């Protein structure tokens, strides 16, 4: 898991050249698109992100600023002659929206489109050794956050040690899986002498739209990076509660309590032209916070 | 009717910073939006067009590049607290698409949204002395073009003549409506002595997506300005027929046969980066042609 590129960081109404929610999680071999507000396909072009590398699209909930760009993107894939499968993971009713619109336009899909309806919080799927699960957030309509967790990677061969013990390379895969080495002369060499600790798999959590909600802390606990909405600055916390959104202070507090490494904040209300105060207010509580700025790729820490 | 501002001039897949179909017809007191591809609300902001002045939205057909931006725009109107009524004129099934999406998002509309389902070609409505009708084009799915025809305006008062004949201004409205003047001394002064010819009402026709189709010439005959698609240059005419689209030569030929004053062309295929040849090829047949460029307002001739 390499990083997250922000395509849209604004709340519902586009303003100040900020766009509705969408971001791209980049893996070595593919990309995941998370939410797909109106204009996402245009943002993908603008930031030169290869659309064909997107294999999965995750939609958190059915407020339009999180999915109105989806049908257009799927349609463009069809017109561009895409052939490889595409997976959409979303609340069940989205399938009705897509099918109705495809039927009315007499759309012929040249690629397999697999719709995965989210039935309940918990495990969703594993893709390229990344385990994906979802959790409920506290929003006006049913809304899911997503956790992308790289499994522990294989141990690394210690090049000096295998040379010293004259281990044949045909043994390397066994060593990476943690087995001890049995030398031709019968000696047993412990695995931890011949290998180095596996690089830790990274975890990214996307907390979607939500009120301040400690109930999902267990799902994101210790993540390397999370994205949490900050629709409002702290002085609008009453408005935030009323609209099922969160403030700067709330997002930072949650990141701190969940003991994550890094926090990205976005979904800024259209009432704010300047965003500096979002940085100041969050960093007071959780210093390793960045504003999710459009077009910027935030690498996993 | 003052002019038409182009918001999107590309065919289905956005490319080269060109957007899907949308345009704004500006009247003295209101604006009509014609088609509403994805990103239209962002284009409205970009070109500083006051969204609140839009009273009617006309949708030609249910291919996504002509309406995927509609639900987002209606949604933003709601979030911005719009109160004045909005009229959507479109193929009947669009109502299902909108209602499904509003229901899923639990959208509360603070303004009256009137949906006018297009049942058949012909007269649709009259707004501010503009008579609006529609006609069928020849496309892959049912598709309508729209004609906006200003009614004949009142005759103009001839300032010198009314002074000469000492006509009291309380008579002016009668004169504008064509009545003769009855002087206090009993003389009758003919209306054409006291007034000047009424300025002719303008007519604009939007021909939507279509193959070359002479059947709708009667609907657009003699219009002051028409918009006709030119998805392809003339050497792609076989492709055009297959995809139910038109070429440069075809659009210009139709404009000539319909004896219109001015032709705008757009809906350019994403295969074209440069557009110069569209101008050259259309002007060879119909000199008063302009490329419909985004952000540009084309005044009624």
């Amino acid at each position: 898991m390499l990083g997250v590129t922000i395509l849209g960081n604004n709340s519902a109404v586009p303003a100040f050249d900020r766009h509705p929610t969408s971001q791209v999680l980049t893996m070595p071999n593919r990309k995941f698109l998370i939410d797909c507000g109106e204009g996402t396909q245009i943002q993908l072009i603008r930031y030169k992100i290869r659309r064909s590398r997107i294999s999965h699209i995750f939609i958190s909930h059915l407020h339009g600023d999180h999915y109105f760009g989806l049908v257009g993107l799927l349609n463009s894939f069809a017109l561009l002659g895409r052939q490889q499968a595409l997976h959409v993971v979303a609340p069940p009713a989205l399938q009705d929206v897509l099918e109705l619109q495809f039927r009315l336009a007499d759309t012929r899909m040249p690629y397999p489109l697999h719709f995965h309806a989210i039935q309940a919080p918990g495990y969703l799927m594993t893709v390229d050794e990344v385990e994906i699960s979802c959790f409920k957030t506290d929003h006006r309509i049913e809304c899911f956050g997503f956790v992308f967790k790289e499994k522990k990677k294989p141990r690394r061969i210690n090049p000096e040690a295998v040379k010293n013990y004259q281990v044949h390379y045909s043994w390397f895969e066994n060593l990476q899986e943690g087995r001890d080495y049995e030398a031709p002369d019968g000696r047993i060499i412990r695995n931890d002498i011949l290998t180095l600790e596996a690089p830790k798999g990274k975890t990214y959590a996307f907390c979607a739209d939500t009120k301040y909600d400690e109930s999902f802390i267990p799902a994101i606990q210790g993540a390397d990076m999370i994205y949490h909405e900050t629709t409002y600055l702290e002085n609008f916390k009453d408005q935030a509660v009323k609209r099922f959104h969160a403030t700067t202070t709330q997002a930072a507090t949650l990141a701190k309590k969940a003991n994550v490494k890094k926090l990205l904040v976005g979904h800024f209300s259209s009432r704010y032209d300047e965003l500096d105060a979002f940085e100041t207010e969050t960093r007071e509580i959780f210093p390793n916070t960045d504003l999710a700025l459009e077009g910027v790729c935030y690498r996993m820490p």
Side-chain angles (χ1 to χ4, degrees), chain A:
Chain A
M1 205 178 293
L2 305 170
V4 178
T5 304
I6 305 302
L7 300 178
N9 65 6
N10 211 55
S11 67
V13 181
F16 313 117
D17 202 26
R18 300 196 306 255
H19 298 75
T21 303
S22 186
Q23 44 186 260
V24 178
L25 187 59
T26 300
M27 317 286 189
N29 301 313
R30 63 177 76 236
K31 293 175 188 295
F32 293 154
L33 188 68
I34 308 171
D35 278 350
C36 189
E38 182 178 354
T40 293
Q41 61 172 322
I42 292 166
Q43 294 290 84
L44 286 166
I45 297 170
R46 184 176 188 174
Y47 296 120
K48 297 187 174 37
I49 292 167
R50 280 176 60 189
R51 291 170 285 187
S52 59
R53 301 298 295 272
I54 297 170
S55 65
H56 291 67
I57 302 176
F58 298 86
I59 302 293
S60 63
H61 67 300
L62 299 187
H63 279 153
D65 57 320
H66 294 257
Y67 85 91
F68 282 165
L70 180 64
V71 64
L73 180 62
L74 300 185
N75 203 42
S76 290
F77 279 145
L79 292 165
L80 293 165
R82 178 185 176 115
Q83 297 196 310
Q84 75 266 39
L86 184 73
H87 300 264
V88 173
V89 183
L94 185 56
Q95 191 163 17
D96 302 335
V97 177
L98 296 177
E99 283 180 358
L100 174 59
Q101 292 183 89
F102 290 145
R103 181 168 57 73
L104 294 175
D106 191 20
T107 305
R108 294 142 204 188
M109 278 291 171
Y111 60 92
L113 179 62
H114 301 291
F115 190 90
H116 306 262
I118 301 175
Q119 303 294 355
Y123 174 80
L124 287 170
M125 57 177 61
T126 300
V127 181
D128 281 358
E129 304 293 302
V130 175
E131 189 183 286
I132 304 153
S133 57
C134 68
F135 57 89
K136 278 205 178 183
T137 72
D138 189 1
H139 198 42
R140 191 160 64 79
I141 60 172
E142 185 169 71
C143 182
F144 294 96
F146 298 104
V147 181
F148 302 86
K149 188 181 168 62
E150 280 180 314
K151 288 188 186 170
K152 212 178 153 100
K153 294 185 173 168
R155 293 182 68 84
R156 289 170 297 158
I157 300 297
N158 180 333
E160 288 195 12
V162 292
K163 200 171 163 191
N164 287 346
Y165 288 93
Q166 297 183 299
V167 181
H168 191 258
Y169 68 82
S170 62
W171 258 90
F172 285 8
E173 206 172 305
N174 287 332
L175 294 179
Q176 288 179 302
E177 287 168 4
R179 279 181 60 187
D180 292 339
Y181 174 58
E182 299 161 38
D185 62 7
R187 281 182 310 160
I188 302 290
I189 316 293
R190 286 210 327 274
N191 184 283
D192 63 356
I193 293 170
L194 298 169
T195 64
L196 303 162
E197 199 60 47
K200 202 180 151 288
K202 303 285 186 186
T203 297
Y204 177 66
F206 172 82
C207 302
D209 279 13
T210 189
K211 273 163 76 168
Y212 180 75
D213 180 8
E214 297 192 356
S215 79
F216 61 75
I217 288 180
I220 65 170
Q221 187 77 44
D224 295 277
M225 184 153 75
I226 69 167
Y227 164 92
H228 195 291
E229 68 135 287
T230 51
T231 304
Y232 300 106
L233 294 173
E234 184 57 18
N235 62 339
F236 269 74
K237 68 180 171 199
D238 294 343
Q239 177 88 331
V241 169
K242 230 167 56 188
R243 302 236 174 150
F244 292 85
H245 285 302
T247 68
T248 46
T249 305
Q250 292 171 338
T253 302
L254 202 85
K256 194 173 173 183
K257 289 197 179 185
N259 198 28
V260 305
K261 291 203 183 70
K262 184 183 177 76
L263 169 65
L264 290 180
V265 295
H267 202 267
F268 308 114
S269 164
S270 305
R271 70 168 55 242
Y272 304 107
D273 185 353
E274 300 289 335
L275 299 175
D276 300 355
F278 284 86
E279 194 171 275
T280 315
E281 291 192 4
T282 47
R283 286 187 179 176
E284 265 171 31
I285 293 164
F286 192 83
N288 197 9
T289 302
D290 270 344
L291 303 185
L293 299 179
E294 294 183 7
V296 176
C297 177
Y298 298 89
R299 299 187 71 82
M300 297 298 296

